[in-house]
Amino acid sequence: MRKNFRVLGTVFALALAVTAGCAATGGNAQSSVTSETQAETAVEQGNETAAGGQSGSGTQTESGNQAESGTQMGSGTQTESGNQAGSGSQVESGNQTGSGNQAGSGTHTESASLTEKPVKDMAGRDIQVPDVVKSVYSTSPVGTNFMYTFDDRMVAGLNVDLSDEEKRFTTEYYQNLPNFGGWYGKGNEGNIEEIIKADPDLVLASGVDRSSIDTADQLQEKLGIPVVLIDTDFDSMAESYRFVGRITGNVERGEKLAAYTEETIQRAREITASIPEDKRVTVYYAEEALGLNTDPSGSPHSRLIDLCGGINVADCEISPGYGRTEVSMEQVIAWDPQFIIACVDNGFADSGSYSAIMNNSQWAVIRAVKDGHVYETPTVPQNWFDRPPSVNTIIGIKWVQNLLYPEYTDYDIKEETKAFYSLFYHYDLSDGEVDSLLARSLRAQ
């Protein structure tokens, strides 16, 4: 509906121009790749030539309605038509259709349309969405990271400025996107004016609870853009990929990412079930600069320990939201874990507990330090273990389980890393880059 209004406005402007003795039409063809091509179409004396290679000939008859025929070439190779009569009379209705190919990292294929279709989002809300979705803004880093892995060129904007570390191993297109802010965490809000100006086809928000539904409804009213809710909970991630594949018209891409996600989680559960209780190892998750913040079993921030068969030693309360329950050095010494996973927090808090643990004599009495089982979470472009708790943790499952129980797994983590980055991050790692990523993260050979 929102975009049909624009078409009617264009037709009205054309009619006025013809009355004055000269007609001009303008249109924007936005490709799904990095660049955008704008072509102005001039109509003179029944002959029409467009900058994208559009031509028409013959006598043009108008009675308030006009249609264009031809081909517009953008960097996404897009061909458009709009109920056309090409040489002679030209008629345009309120609906425009077309087709094109996007050579994006997610290999997204689209066919342009101004019509809408009803969908039920993952919270059960009935939403009208465009037949073709080329651009998506997500309200939080979790959703933005999710959409980047699905198709980087569909991401309309970011929620935070990317650090240099986050820019490593991501596409140039993604790195150059504007920051629109977002609705997540404590007190964060997106830039309504800039989001509307960017004109994404959809807004993607995470969560399916009552609060998320209310927030999505309010945001949709403010933006005038359909807001779709997905479930980014760990166990629902695969279905979220399938859902996004359906509403964007790229079912194949959604299924490919969903299948990898499902298989990884299922395999981890099978491996964990095969590990005898007396072979389970104890693990401490060390957060913030001194390593004296953690998340106990049951927290979404430490769930990879539970999933992969580790025993989380942290006997403390779960802190809601960002987590990070503060503990004392005396408590950690009493817990005496066999393994320590040291968090790097990607800018959300002071990070780098690995160095503090390895260089502080107080930690030296703990079994994990004495045995050389302190490992740092790989972090670029996103943390493999936590924060954001999104698709970046899928490769973390294989890393953690192989770290704790190499005798029960058959993963070649370096090769698994290459495969994951190629499929999800659209980046082919060199051997040297893999070694750099995992420098403090693997058992000594």
Side-chain angles (χ1 to χ4, degrees), residues 30 48 51 76-77 91 102 109 111 125 134 176 211 269 275 285 291 302 354 406 415:
Q30 179 175 4
E48 178 175 317
T77 314
V91 183
Q102 177 184 23
T109 303
S111 52
R125 297 163 62 247
K134 298 185 290 183
N176 290 316
S211 175
R269 288 180 172 142
I275 303 169
Y285 178 37
S302 61
Y354 179 89
E415 291 304 313

Side-chain angles (χ1 to χ4, degrees), residues 55-241:
S55 63
S57 63
T59 303
Q60 178 173 324
T61 304
E62 304 184 44
S63 57
N65 295 321
Q66 182 183 17
E68 304 173 20
S69 68
T71 303
Q72 290 184 322
M73 299 297 294
S75 39
T77 314
Q78 183 179 16
T79 305
E80 300 183 338
S81 63
N83 296 338
Q84 305 161 347
S87 59
S89 300
Q90 293 187 319
V91 183
E92 180 171 286
S93 68
N95 294 325
Q96 184 180 21
T97 61
S99 62
N101 294 320
Q102 177 184 23
S105 305
T107 316
H108 174 63
T109 303
E110 65 195 14
S111 52
S113 174
L114 296 179
T115 61
E116 294 179 336
K117 61 187 176 186
V119 301
K120 191 178 289 292
D121 70 12
M122 294 185 73
R125 297 163 62 247
D126 292 315
I127 305 293
Q128 292 287 330
V129 303
D131 271 343
V132 171
V133 177
K134 298 185 290 183
S135 177
V136 177
Y137 164 74
S138 300
T139 61
S140 73
V142 170
T144 299
N145 191 38
F146 180 92
M147 279 308 304
Y148 172 78
T149 61
F150 183 82
D151 188 335
D152 61 315
R153 290 184 174 92
M154 292 187 73
V155 179
L158 305 175
N159 312 111
V160 296
D161 292 330
L162 297 179
S163 67
D164 289 341
E165 284 296 289
E166 288 172 309
K167 289 179 180 178
R168 294 178 65 191
F169 317 137
T170 54
T171 63
E172 183 178 357
Y173 172 83
Y174 187 70
Q175 295 169 21
N176 290 316
L177 287 171
N179 176 6
F180 296 144
W183 288 264
Y184 63 96
K186 300 176 182 178
N188 291 309
E189 289 194 0
N191 189 323
I192 294 285
E193 182 178 340
E194 291 301 315
I195 295 167
I196 292 174
K197 190 184 299 182
D199 195 26
D201 297 306
L202 284 183
V203 172
L204 196 71
S206 302
V208 294
D209 58 351
R210 183 71 254 173
S211 175
S212 298
I213 291 171
D214 292 342
T215 300
D217 290 342
Q218 294 166 13
L219 186 57
Q220 183 169 285
E221 186 174 347
K222 288 180 181 179
L223 293 173
I225 302 170
V227 177
V228 173
L229 286 170
I230 64 170
D231 189 350
T232 54
D233 183 73
F234 199 67
D235 290 324
S236 302
M237 208 173 294
E239 185 51 39
S240 293
Y241 273 126

Side-chain angles (χ1 to χ4, degrees), residues 341-363:
I341 294 176
C343 179
V344 178
D345 230 359
N346 281 20
F348 285 100
D350 291 335
S351 59
S353 58
Y354 179 89
S355 294
I357 293 168
M358 298 302 289
N359 296 312
N360 187 324
S361 59
Q362 288 183 296
W363 289 86

Side-chain angles (χ1 to χ4, degrees), residues 38-59:
Q38 294 184 329
E40 294 182 352
T41 306
V43 182
E44 297 181 335
Q45 299 177 356
N47 293 323
E48 178 175 317
T49 303
Q54 179 175 343
S55 63
S57 63
T59 303

Side-chain angles (χ1 to χ4, degrees), residues 225-436:
I225 302 170
V227 177
V228 173
L229 286 170
I230 64 170
D231 189 350
T232 54
D233 183 73
F234 199 67
D235 290 324
S236 302
M237 208 173 294
E239 185 51 39
S240 293
Y241 273 126
R242 292 190 176 100
F243 172 76
V244 170
R246 289 194 297 271
I247 65 173
T248 61
N250 198 344
V251 173
E252 182 179 356
R253 176 67 177 170
E255 181 57 37
K256 182 177 288 189
L257 298 177
Y260 183 102
T261 301
E262 274 183 341
E263 289 167 8
T264 299
I265 294 173
Q266 181 59 32
R267 178 61 180 146
R269 288 180 172 142
E270 291 170 357
I271 292 171
T272 293
S274 72
I275 303 169
E277 288 297 326
D278 62 352
K279 299 293 184 182
R280 303 287 178 96
V281 296
T282 56
V283 185
Y284 174 72
Y285 178 37
E287 300 177 87
E288 299 214 25
L290 299 178
L292 294 177
N293 290 76
T294 194
D295 286 286
S297 179
S299 167
H301 299 290
S302 61
R303 61 181 148 195
L304 294 197
I305 298 174
D306 298 333
L307 176 64
C308 295
I311 300 171
N312 191 330
V313 298
D315 183 13
C316 57
E317 295 294 324
I318 294 177
S319 294
Y322 284 135
R324 302 189 191 92
T325 301
E326 187 173 354
V327 297
S328 68
M329 190 73 243
E330 289 73 23
Q331 285 176 295
V332 180
I333 292 172
W335 292 331
D336 196 25
Q338 294 169 271
F339 286 77
I340 293 175
I341 294 176
C343 179
V344 178
D345 230 359
N346 281 20
F348 285 100
D350 291 335
S351 59
S353 58
Y354 179 89
S355 294
I357 293 168
M358 298 302 289
N359 296 312
N360 187 324
S361 59
Q362 288 183 296
W363 289 86
V365 299
I366 295 173
R367 186 166 26 164
V369 179
K370 290 189 292 187
D371 293 344
H373 288 318
V374 180
Y375 304 98
E376 187 172 68
T377 56
T379 59
V380 287
Q382 297 290 339
N383 194 312
W384 288 18
F385 191 86
D386 183 25
R387 298 194 179 88
S390 186
V391 293
N392 41 287
T393 61
I394 299 301
I395 182 61
I397 295 172
K398 295 182 177 182
W399 168 66
V400 170
Q401 201 154 47
N402 188 72
L403 195 67
L404 302 182
Y405 303 107
E407 65 275 27
Y408 290 93
T409 62
D410 56 1
Y411 298 131
D412 180 333
I413 291 301
K414 291 186 178 182
E415 291 304 313
E416 294 287 346
T417 300
K418 287 182 180 181
F420 181 87
Y421 275 58
S422 180
L423 179 60
F424 284 80
Y425 289 148
H426 326 299
Y427 190 93
D428 294 324
L429 292 164
S430 68
D431 290 340
E433 287 170 334
V434 173
D435 290 340
S436 175

